[in-house]
């Protein structure tokens, strides 16, 4: 059957949870549906196509989706033509179980079948049959067969669909082969597969042509990237070097790194390539060797420390951030304290801290008891957060008085809220053309990924400006744009800041 031909009237509502990989997937799915004439709506009651792009990494993320699905139980009676789809990681993991828990769902589409969504939605609307499109289970077939069943989804973008006109995610690999014992990702995203360098370069070049200035390379273990072309192995460092040659791209970031694959060639690339962010997200998960072993992370605390020392020695001033899991099976007070000590020692820019959530189908769930009470998990979570916040604040205070080159991302949260509340603006984003006193608060990031807010003309969004830091909070630097003399821009003479 042809994809939805009369789709021009259809309204799509999409909700996305999970990581940046999911944000990119949603962007691409929306772009594909928009090409067919679908229009996005933020009002679920108005939608005839409802998609949930899901995450299974913690139980909470799944609950959120099942509750949202529960609220739609009677929605079909009001809208008989409605199609409800569950896509992404939970679709791959739960498959038929989703229909049992939410019988009003029409479509279940895994991470490896996203390209089929327009067709599946159209078919489902036409014949009202339920459909499941998922990849093979890793235990049920050979690696090659499973890999083939997880297709990387990187179609052409719809320039209007990017979250910001000058920032874009670029997938460089899918899947994960590390099999940390607590984690569902190797199941939901399949075997690790790197994209050919030429495809990545082509995509980046096209994005640059559309005005993108910052790309973030995505992979579950992005620094494990490896692709052989004509006998030559391309690693992430090679890719960064080639991408640095793409005119128009000013900043290149990459997430998430795996500690064991933090090789010297990569650190040297971060040091030597001016467009590459001096920022590395390298989750440690725990500061206790017994826990790391039970997690099957493949490194010891000593090895992580050695990696940190190499980062500090090779790339001075590089910001490093981390993830921690608290309350993993068997975590005693003593082992938790080792995580707290390691955090104090490494002084991460920021850390994402998660309470262990047992995931059916993982080794940890099979082998170990979830023996840390919820209350203790919560306490440890808060304790680590407090330590991290104090470090972030101290490190931010030390930056007061310094100047940084900022890529301006947009209006700050406060400015956006003020705009929404302002009856003169009526909720639409308008360029501020008033005097300097009217300039809203903008937000951007340093090359080390630190968030900075400052007042400035919204015209600066997407450009690089120098900001002098005057104050800070735990999470944010506060500053003012360094006023330069008049700068020539085309035929106009514009003050760069105001
Ligand atoms: N690929 C990335 C991150 C994947 S998931 C990496 O390996 O670093 C993001 C984070 O979620 C992980 O770093 C881990 O801290 C956390 N996480 C994963 N599974 C979890 C679980 N079962 N319970 C709690 N946190 C979990
Ligand atoms: Fe999960 Fe570990 Fe792979 Fe990260 S490296 S996605 S935590 S299995
Ligand atoms: Fe979640 Fe899937 Fe990402 S499980 S963290 S959305 S890869």
């Amino acid at each position: 059957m042809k994809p939805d031909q009369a789709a021009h009237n259809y309204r799509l509502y999409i909700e996305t949870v999970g990581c940046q990989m999911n944000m990119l997937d949603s962007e691409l799915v929306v772009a594909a549906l928009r090409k067919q004439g679908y229009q996005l709506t933020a009002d679920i009651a108005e939608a005839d196509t409802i998609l949930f792009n899901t995450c299974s990494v913690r139980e909470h993320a799944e609950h959120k989706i099942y509750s949202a699905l529960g609220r739609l139980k009677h929605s079909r009676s009001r809208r008989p033509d409605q199609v409800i789809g569950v896509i992404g990681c939970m679709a791959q993991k739960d498959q038929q179980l989703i229909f049992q828990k939410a019988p009003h769902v029409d479509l279940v589409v895994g991470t490896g079948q996203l390209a089929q969504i327009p067709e599946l939605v159209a078919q489902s609307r036409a014949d009202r049959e339920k459909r499941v499109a998922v990849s093979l289970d890793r235990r049920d077939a050979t690696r090659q067969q499973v890999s083939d069943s997880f297709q990387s989804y990187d179609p052409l973008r719809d320039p209007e669909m990017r979250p910001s006109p000058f920032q874009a995610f670029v997938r460089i690999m899918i899947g994960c082969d590390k099999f940390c014992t607590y984690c569902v990702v190797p199941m939901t995203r399949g075997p690790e597969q790197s994209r050919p360098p030429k495809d990545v370069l082509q995509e980046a070049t096209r994005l640059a042509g559309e005005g993108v200035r910052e790309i973030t390379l995505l992979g579950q273990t992005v620094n494990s990237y490896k692709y052989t072309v004509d006998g030559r192995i391309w690693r992430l460092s090679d890719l960064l070097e080639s991408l640095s040659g793409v005119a128009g791209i000013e900043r290149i970031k990459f997430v998430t790194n795996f500690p064991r694959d933090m090789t010297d060639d990569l650190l040297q690339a971060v040091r030597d390539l001016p467009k590459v962010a001096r920022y590395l997200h390298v989750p440690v998960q725990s500061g206790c060797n017994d826990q790391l072993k039970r997690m099957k992370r493949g490194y010891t605390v000593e090895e992580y420390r050695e990696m940190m020392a190499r980062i500090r020695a090779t790339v001075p001033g590089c910001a490093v951030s981390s993830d921690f899991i608290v309350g993993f099976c068997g975590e005693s007070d003593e082992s938790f304290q080792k995580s707290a000590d390691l955090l104090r020692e490494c002084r991460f820019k920021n850390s994402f801290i998660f309470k262990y959530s047992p995931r059916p189908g993982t080794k940890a769930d099979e082998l170990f008891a979830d023996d840390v009470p919820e209350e203790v998990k919560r306490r440890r979570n808060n304790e680590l957060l407090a330590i991290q916040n104090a470090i972030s604040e101290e490190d931010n205070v030390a930056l007061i008085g310094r100047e940084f080159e900022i890529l301006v991302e947009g209006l700050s949260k406060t400015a956006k809220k003020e705009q929404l509340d302002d009856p003169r603006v009526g909720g639409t984003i308008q360029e501020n053309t008033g005097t300097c006193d009217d300039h809203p608060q903008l937000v951007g990031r340093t090359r080390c990924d630190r968030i900075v807010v400052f007042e400035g003309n919204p015209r600066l969004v997407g450009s690089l400006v120098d900001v002098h830091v005057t104050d800070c909070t735990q999470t944010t630097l506060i500053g003012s744009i360094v006023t330069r003399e008049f700068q020539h821009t085309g035929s106009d003479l514009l003050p760069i800041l105001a």
Side-chain angles (χ1 to χ4, degrees), residues 19 56-59 176 178 180-185 219-222 255-259 281-285 297 322-326 328 352-359 362:
C19 61
S56 288
V57 83
R58 283 169 290 277
E59 194 181 17
C176 181
K178 307 292 190 211
C180 304
T181 55
Y182 51 80
C183 185
V184 289
V185 173
Q220 292 304 335
T221 54
V222 73
V255 284
T256 298
N257 292 284
F258 191 68
H281 182 59
V282 208
V284 65
Q285 311 298 359
R297 285 290 285 179
S322 188
D323 294 355
F324 283 90
I325 297 178
V326 294
F328 183 61
F352 299 95
I353 300 161
F354 305 104
K355 290 179 287 177
Y356 172 57
S357 166
R359 307 286 47 227
T362 59

Side-chain angles (χ1 to χ4, degrees), residues 38 43 61 97 184 218 236 294 348 382 412 459 461-462 476:
Y38 281 74
D43 179 4
L97 182 66
V184 289
L218 296 185
L236 179 57
R294 214 166 291 153
F348 296 115
N382 291 340
S412 73
R459 202 167 36 201
V461 171
T476 312

Side-chain angles (χ1 to χ4, degrees), residues 35-96:
K35 267 199 193 130
Q36 311 242 320
Y38 281 74
Q39 284 177 40
L40 262 186
T41 174
D43 179 4
I44 197 164
E46 187 190 75
D48 36 49
T49 307
I50 299 173
L51 296 178
F52 293 97
N53 193 4
T54 57
C55 172
S56 288
V57 83
R58 283 169 290 277
E59 194 181 17
H60 176 71
E62 294 189 341
H63 271 167
K64 233 172 118 174
I65 298 298
Y66 279 118
S67 316
L69 287 172
R71 289 192 291 276
L72 291 174
K73 216 170 176 174
H74 304 296
S75 162
R76 175 72 57 72
S77 54
R78 289 191 299 273
R79 306 215 41 153
D81 64 334
Q82 193 170 61
V83 173
I84 301 177
V86 175
I87 68 174
C89 289
M90 197 176 91
Q92 176 61 38
K93 174 174 158 282
D94 284 359
Q95 306 188 0
Q96 295 286 346

Side-chain angles (χ1 to χ4, degrees), residues 100-126:
Q100 285 165 32
K101 289 190 175 181
H104 48 297
V105 168
D106 302 288
L107 287 179
V108 170
V109 185
T111 55
Q113 288 70 31
L114 300 177
Q116 298 172 28
I117 286 177
E119 192 158 359
L120 291 170
V121 170
Q123 288 170 348
S124 178
R125 198 179 329 270

